[in-house]
Amino acid sequence: MTTQAVRLFRKMDGLFAVYKPQGVHWKHVRDSIESNLLKALNSCPPPAPQRAVQFQLLSRGDNSSSKDLVLSPSMVPTLADHPLVTGPQFHKVHVGVGHRLDAFSSGVLVLGVGKGNGVLEHLCKSHVTRDYTLEGEFGKATDNFTYTGRVIEKTTYDHVTLDKLERVLAMIQGANQKALITYSQVDLSTQEAYELAVRGLLYPHGKSPPILTGLRCIHFNPPHFTLEVQCVNETQKYLRKLIHEVGLELRTSAVCSVVRRTRDGPFKVENALTRQHWTADSIIQAIAHFSKTTRKIRKSEMYRQTAAQSNSSVEVQEQTRSPTEQIN
Amino acid sequence: MLKPITARVVMLVCQRCVSLLLSRPLSSALQPSTRALHQLSHLPLQQHSTRHTLPQRHSRQTWRHFTDHQAASPGVYNQIDLAQKEVVPLNSDVHRIDLDAALHPSPLQEISEEEAVQIQVPSVLPTESSTLRPYVDKSETLSKLVQLGVNLWKLEQRPNVGSMLVRLDFHADVAPKLLFLKDLGVEESKLGQLLTKNPFILTENLDNLEARVSYLKSKKFSKQSVAAMVTKAPYLLNFSVERLDNRLGFFQKQLGLSAEKTRDVVTRLPKLLCGSLEPIKENLKVCELEFGFRGNEIQHIVTTVPKVLIANKRKLTQIFDFVHNTMDIPHSLIAKFPQVLNAKFLRIRERHLFLEYLGRAQYQPSQPSYISLDRVVFLPDDVFCSEVALATLEDFERFQKTL
């Protein structure tokens, strides 16, 4: 026998994505979602209270004129099970956060509820790429690379053209490509390495510094410019620093005004929930929508683990990697 | 339902268990009424035992009896075991039990239905408990409070409140306070919430409460407003008259308001009288020096939205900074719609940026297609989109995802 609350709780198992507004810490996002879920769970009607036998003095039913009272047993709901005494039915719903977004950045933030937290770990370990949109502004440099920080220097940017910017971006991308091959730990002289590289399935193994796998300029209107970045193992601070370094390479300086994540692995911005939709109903819908993706992540991780075990036991040379990149 | 015989055995064993347990000093946290309940049920047994007293009987012999009963009903085995661990030598005369008293018939003897029904099995209350749950059904105070709608679960989280409630006597402590609140004009449905917020009103002296209410009435607060204030700020009556006087004087002097307006502000936000004055002074300084409002503007803001006084300083600054510096709204307009200082920052920012993106961000009253601040801030999302922004809700959400 399950209550309505328990049935609702069972639906809260899986991954979903929210759109984090700028200027909000991810912990606030997580906490507000957790409290919304708890509120929905605890607003369900409580289970029926236990009943206790009580002997009450009642007048005899058959002869109402007689004065003598008779003890008769009756079932009375106990007050000990009253919702005001027992408190809410649920005290905690585990909400886990995927790859973090700091307060300055906005965009897709993957959250896991219940058993989704285990899958969330797999998602973090599998080296999925993430898309970012960075907006920068030439002309000044600040201490924390954002436009709100303390200004350190001001420069001119008249000489910057789209051509020069793209040349710098290509150079940065080339350096990152080299780093990717180094950290992917494949022997470059093998057929497997060639095939992986051709199919674009190279990814860094184990711990690696942030690596950009794609970088291009999508909007250029000096002093404002917008970059689109695909990367792994990044932090938002690294991306802001990237803008700063682009500025330095162009013999000027630049600050970052927006860091926006448009994709985290298989989670795209279209399906992310905006602030108004952080309610239990929408979240359960989103979890159902992403249930297929969640299953895929779990499966690919299991495949990767078994592959790694067989590799180590037979001591074969580097086999083809599991296609974790394919899940998006 | 137990069969009569088994019921009898359980009763006998239970009574003895309880009497043995009672020979130890009870934890002081146990409520008086519960203790009375125990002793009441224990009374007939003691009367029997004093009739045939064998002073030198050692407690070990009692245990022989217990084991006899144990054989008779294996169902109560655990209970006896529990009681054995609690055993202490019986020294005082009062608690001496003579189990050889032949008054009780054999436990195996059959008894009639009526007799069985007369037997009252005392329930054993724990002497210590982390929750109030075990006591609720037995204590009159607690069960009445639950019926009033007091959230006992919330109260027991607070330190010492649980044991305070358990010690209260309904007729002596609780009922007079409830009647007092009822006479004050507090609605019955609000009593539960009030006591959940402030259970300490039950332990307060009734004369003090009367004095505070008469003080408020002497300051020309009407009966309705006093009742509303007590409902909104349950701790109001726990503060001394001097403190209340001090607060009222502060607001009248610091804000330069008339007595009428001070009364209005305090009635609408009685929390002002309860909290510390430091944050309020700070907020006033922030409004005056940091925001640059004039004195009469501050007066107007405070009388329309008293909550500005106790709002978070950082949030106030954030909102004012955005509204004044980004949306370019002058002081006079903000003072005209002070509710904007009480709104959510994210909401203001999203809506302003959306209007700006659509080219409708026009906040000058003298120009055409003027959008007032309260229309920006206080309409719900769908109405805002259809009436102010002239766009669809989907567009607004899509726009939010580009921020």
Side-chain angles (χ1 to χ4, degrees):
Chain A
M1 204 184 77
T2 54
T3 59
Q4 196 182 340
V6 173
R7 256 175 279 145
L8 192 64
F9 183 70
R10 284 188 190 149
K11 283 187 199 160
M12 294 177 187
D13 257 348
L15 298 182
F16 65 100
V18 297
Y19 193 88
K20 185 186 93 68
Q22 197 204 355
V24 181
H25 199 270
W26 58 264
K27 278 182 183 165
H28 288 287
V29 174
R30 183 195 63 186
D31 292 347
S32 69
I33 281 182
E34 187 182 331
S35 64
N36 284 353
L37 290 180
L38 272 180
K39 218 182 274 170
L41 280 175
N42 288 327
S43 65
C44 291
Q50 272 192 353
R51 286 163 175 275
V53 180
Q54 236 181 41
F55 294 98
Q56 286 170 321
L57 280 172
L58 298 169
S59 61
R60 242 183 236 280
D62 52 345
N63 191 0
S64 52
S65 60
S66 70
K67 287 276 177 64
D68 57 337
L69 299 175
V70 169
L71 274 177
S72 62
S74 57
M75 300 285 271
V76 179
T78 54
L79 273 182
D81 283 341
H82 198 279
L84 289 179
V85 181
T86 53
Q89 300 173 66
F90 288 85
H91 294 272
K92 186 139 182 69
V93 177
H94 285 282
V95 179
V97 183
H99 196 270
R100 312 277 193 263
L101 271 176
D102 60 8
F104 178 78
S105 333
S106 61
V108 181
L109 182 66
V110 179
L111 296 172
V113 193
K115 286 175 196 154
N117 286 313
V119 188
L120 207 56
E121 239 171 68
H122 296 170
L123 182 69
C124 288
K125 266 191 233 157
S126 68
H127 297 268
V128 290
T129 58
R130 284 171 277 267
D131 280 10
Y132 285 86
T133 309
L134 309 175
E135 283 178 26
E137 194 183 333
F138 290 122
K140 61 178 179 178
T142 55
D143 55 349
N144 57 0
F145 313 127
T146 71
Y147 70 101
T148 50
R150 193 168 55 83
V151 178
I152 292 173
E153 63 171 3
K154 287 193 175 181
T155 47
T156 55
Y157 50 86
D158 304 329
H159 58 281
V160 179
T161 59
L162 181 60
D163 191 39
K164 278 183 184 165
L165 176 63
E166 276 177 351
R167 219 178 297 159
V168 167
L169 294 184
M171 186 199 76
I172 294 174
Q173 202 179 349
N176 276 285
Q177 195 67 34
K178 214 176 235 174
L180 179 64
I181 293 170
T182 328
Y183 283 101
S184 64
Q185 293 176 359
V186 285
D187 193 354
L188 267 189
S189 56
T190 56
Q191 177 70 16
E192 284 83 16
Y194 169 74
E195 277 169 5
L196 281 177
V198 162
R199 285 160 63 202
L201 291 184
L202 283 176
Y203 69 93
H205 242 267
K207 281 192 175 172
S208 80
I211 292 174
L212 310 175
T213 54
L215 178 64
R216 68 195 183 97
C217 176
I218 54 173
H219 182 250
F220 182 73
N221 179 26
H224 301 282
F225 64 102
T226 308
L227 303 183
E228 198 184 61
V229 177
Q230 283 97 39
C231 45
V232 280
N233 289 344
E234 82 292 350
T235 61
Q236 282 78 46
K237 194 173 178 194
Y238 170 80
L239 295 173
R240 288 195 288 271
K241 200 174 172 192
L242 176 76
I243 295 277
H244 176 74
E245 278 166 6
V246 166
L248 289 186
E249 286 293 328
L250 287 167
R251 305 288 182 270
T252 171
S253 52
V255 290
C256 182
S257 51
V258 170
V259 177
R260 195 164 76 87
R261 178 147 76 193
T262 52
R263 183 179 62 82
D264 186 350
F267 298 91
K268 299 195 180 92
V269 73
E270 291 86 57
N271 307 110
L273 300 174
T274 48
R275 214 160 44 83
Q276 292 87 351
H277 294 285
W278 294 352
T279 57
D281 287 341
S282 322
I283 288 173
I284 286 173
Q285 266 182 25
I287 286 174
H289 180 263
F290 282 116
S291 63
K292 223 172 176 181
T293 323
T294 313
R295 225 172 302 139
K296 247 181 187 170
I297 295 169
R298 191 180 282 143
K299 237 189 219 167
S300 69
E301 174 64 22
M302 273 156 55
Y303 174 74
R304 216 162 67 104
Q305 278 175 356
T306 48
Q309 276 172 7
S310 62
N311 271 6
S312 59
S313 58
V314 190
E315 302 251 343
V316 196
Q317 254 209 338
E318 295 275 336
Q319 293 285 320
T320 49
R321 304 280 170 199
S322 70
T324 35
E325 290 278 312
Q326 280 177 347
I327 54 182
N328 44 39
Chain B
M1 286 287 289
L2 293 162
K3 281 187 176 177
I5 296 180
T6 339
R8 170 117 217 177
V9 171
V10 170
M11 184 275 293
L12 285 172
V13 172
C14 284
Q15 273 188 341
R16 278 161 208 194
C17 291
V18 170
S19 60
L20 276 169
L21 280 171
L22 276 174
S23 62
R24 300 179 72 200
L26 271 173
S27 149
S28 61
L30 193 66
Q31 80 203 85
S33 56
T34 324
R35 199 181 297 170
L37 193 124
H38 266 296
Q39 280 165 351
L40 220 96
S41 65
H42 179 47
L43 213 64
L45 190 73
Q46 278 184 1
Q47 279 169 355
H48 303 319
S49 50
T50 42
R51 234 174 264 172
H52 307 265
T53 325
L54 293 178
Q56 298 307 317
R57 195 166 289 279
H58 195 262
S59 63
R60 184 172 293 176
Q61 274 187 324
T62 21
W63 297 121
R64 209 175 293 153
H65 281 270
F66 269 110
T67 41
D68 287 346
H69 292 308
Q70 203 173 314
S73 78
V76 291
Y77 179 82
N78 290 335
Q79 231 168 337
I80 298 167
D81 229 0
L82 202 102
Q84 271 178 340
K85 281 175 197 150
E86 303 274 325
V87 71
V88 284
L90 303 170
N91 293 324
S92 69
D93 274 355
V94 184
H95 292 298
R96 192 162 300 138
I97 301 164
D98 179 21
L99 291 158
D100 275 357
L103 207 104
H104 291 300
S106 153
L108 295 177
Q109 186 191 339
E110 287 214 27
I111 54 170
S112 65
E113 282 283 344
E114 279 91 40
E115 260 187 302
V117 157
Q118 303 278 318
I119 296 167
Q120 295 213 334
V121 183
S123 65
V124 184
L125 285 184
T127 53
E128 278 177 16
S129 168
S130 57
T131 76
L132 291 172
R133 276 188 76 178
Y135 307 117
V136 168
D137 276 317
K138 299 287 177 271
S139 149
E140 192 188 2
T141 318
L142 294 182
S143 51
K144 288 265 167 62
L145 285 180
V146 171
Q147 281 157 8
L148 267 178
V150 178
N151 196 335
L152 289 188
W153 180 79
K154 253 186 202 164
L155 286 182
E156 76 195 16
Q157 315 281 318
R158 295 163 65 174
N160 297 331
V161 172
S163 47
M164 180 204 88
L165 285 178
V166 154
R167 280 197 206 101
L168 289 176
D169 179 49
F170 185 76
H171 294 286
D173 301 325
V174 182
K177 307 290 158 48
L178 291 179
L179 286 175
F180 167 77
L181 288 174
K182 186 105 199 318
D183 287 343
L184 208 61
V186 178
E187 282 177 47
E188 283 169 46
S189 54
K190 299 279 169 62
L191 275 179
Q193 287 173 24
L194 193 152
L195 290 179
T196 307
K197 279 265 172 62
N198 179 11
F200 301 107
I201 206 165
L202 297 176
T203 53
E204 196 76 11
N205 191 347
L206 204 56
D207 296 337
N208 286 347
L209 296 180
E210 301 268 11
R212 284 157 206 172
V213 170
S214 57
Y215 166 75
L216 286 177
K217 281 187 179 156
S218 77
K219 290 287 168 191
K220 288 183 185 150
F221 283 99
S222 69
K223 198 183 173 218
Q224 287 83 18
S225 58
V226 171
M229 279 162 73
V230 172
T231 318
K232 275 190 207 158
Y235 276 99
L236 187 66
L237 292 183
N238 277 34
F239 294 123
S240 66
V241 170
E242 290 83 42
R243 191 176 153 122
L244 292 178
D245 190 47
N246 177 17
R247 297 293 140 97
L248 280 176
F250 169 81
F251 287 116
Q252 200 159 1
K253 209 170 64 192
Q254 199 81 12
L255 301 172
L257 295 174
S258 66
E260 182 79 23
K261 280 199 170 161
T262 317
R263 238 173 277 140
D264 179 54
V265 166
V266 171
T267 314
R268 282 168 56 201
L269 196 69
K271 252 193 224 169
L272 289 174
L273 293 182
C274 299
S276 162
L277 286 180
E278 279 309 312
I280 295 173
K281 279 182 196 162
E282 208 169 315
N283 272 10
L284 280 174
K285 283 285 170 228
V286 165
C287 281
E288 192 187 330
L289 302 176
E290 210 169 322
F291 298 172
F293 282 115
R294 283 197 297 274
N296 56 348
E297 283 173 337
I298 292 178
Q299 275 185 8
H300 183 252
I301 289 174
V302 169
T303 43
T304 29
V305 189
K307 216 183 156 193
V308 169
L309 288 178
I310 51 172
N312 188 339
K313 192 179 68 176
R314 201 176 50 82
K315 282 184 183 164
L316 271 186
T317 319
Q318 194 182 29
I319 289 174
F320 181 83
D321 179 41
F322 188 82
V323 170
H324 186 66
N325 296 334
T326 313
M327 291 166 74
D328 281 334
I329 293 176
H331 284 92
S332 56
L333 266 183
I334 299 177
K336 216 171 176 184
F337 300 108
Q339 288 91 345
V340 77
L341 294 176
N342 195 13
K344 289 238 172 15
F345 173 69
L346 278 180
R347 191 172 166 131
I348 301 174
R349 192 182 64 181
E350 275 166 5
R351 290 187 173 187
H352 166 70
L353 292 176
F354 188 49
L355 288 177
E356 202 176 50
Y357 177 76
L358 295 173
R360 287 182 208 286
Q362 207 290 95
Y363 307 112
Q364 300 300 324
S366 52
Q367 310 272 323
S369 73
Y370 156 66
I371 294 173
S372 74
L373 263 186
D374 59 337
R375 268 165 76 78
V376 173
V377 175
F378 286 100
L379 290 176
D381 263 342
D382 46 347
V383 181
F384 168 78
C385 288
S386 61
E387 286 186 9
V388 179
L390 306 181
T392 59
L393 197 59
E394 290 81 55
D395 284 341
F396 183 50
E397 274 167 22
R398 228 167 284 152
F399 177 76
Q400 278 182 324
K401 288 185 187 177
T402 63
L403 290 181

